[in-house]
Amino acid sequence: MQRDFKGVWIPKDIWLAENISWIEKLVLTELDSLDNDDGCFATNEYIGNFFNLSKDRISRIVSKLAKENYISVSFIYKPNSKQIEKRVIKILPRGIGENAN
């Protein structure tokens, strides 16, 4: 997986956000480093292994970040099917570098 590694810097608006937990802030920062031109395609398993968390816990974190409008989540489906080929996560303007208040 290609990574645009930006170090461990967390923007002020994320650092001070009171509506998400510390682990959610860290996952958001990691998703930002993986969000390239086409989005982030990391699976819950991949992210979970990185943070030593379960796939279910990562799923809940991703859902919360989407609900709070830090990220968007969409799906690419296999041709002529309702089966998901991959998930695409994009950081929204509020997510990183914008005023999150």
Side-chain angles (χ1 to χ4, degrees):
M1 192 162 295
Q2 187 176 2
R3 169 184 281 254
D4 181 16
F5 190 69
K6 298 175 183 171
V8 293
W9 180 78
I10 299 174
K12 178 179 94 169
D13 51 329
I14 299 304
W15 185 262
L16 298 176
E18 295 179 357
N19 61 328
I20 56 176
S21 70
W22 286 107
I23 190 63
E24 291 163 347
K25 293 174 186 185
L26 293 174
V27 170
L28 177 60
T29 302
E30 177 64 9
L31 292 173
D32 181 49
S33 77
L34 297 170
D35 181 5
N36 297 308
D37 292 337
D38 297 324
C40 169
F41 302 106
T43 64
N44 290 342
E45 181 177 18
Y46 176 86
I47 300 165
N49 287 338
F50 185 82
F51 285 104
N52 198 27
L53 295 171
S54 71
K55 292 188 307 184
D56 288 341
R57 178 70 176 117
I58 296 301
S59 177
R60 290 191 302 272
I61 290 170
V62 168
S63 294
K64 167 96 179 273
L65 293 172
K67 179 182 174 195
E68 296 291 338
N69 294 316
Y70 288 100
I71 62 173
S72 68
V73 179
S74 59
F75 300 96
I76 296 175
Y77 295 91
K78 292 184 179 182
N80 302 316
S81 171
K82 293 182 180 181
Q83 188 175 13
I84 296 171
E85 185 173 317
K86 59 184 162 181
R87 172 183 68 183
V88 182
I89 297 173
K90 288 227 168 239
I91 303 297
L92 296 176
R94 171 190 175 153
I96 299 287
E98 296 289 328
N99 186 349
N101 295 328

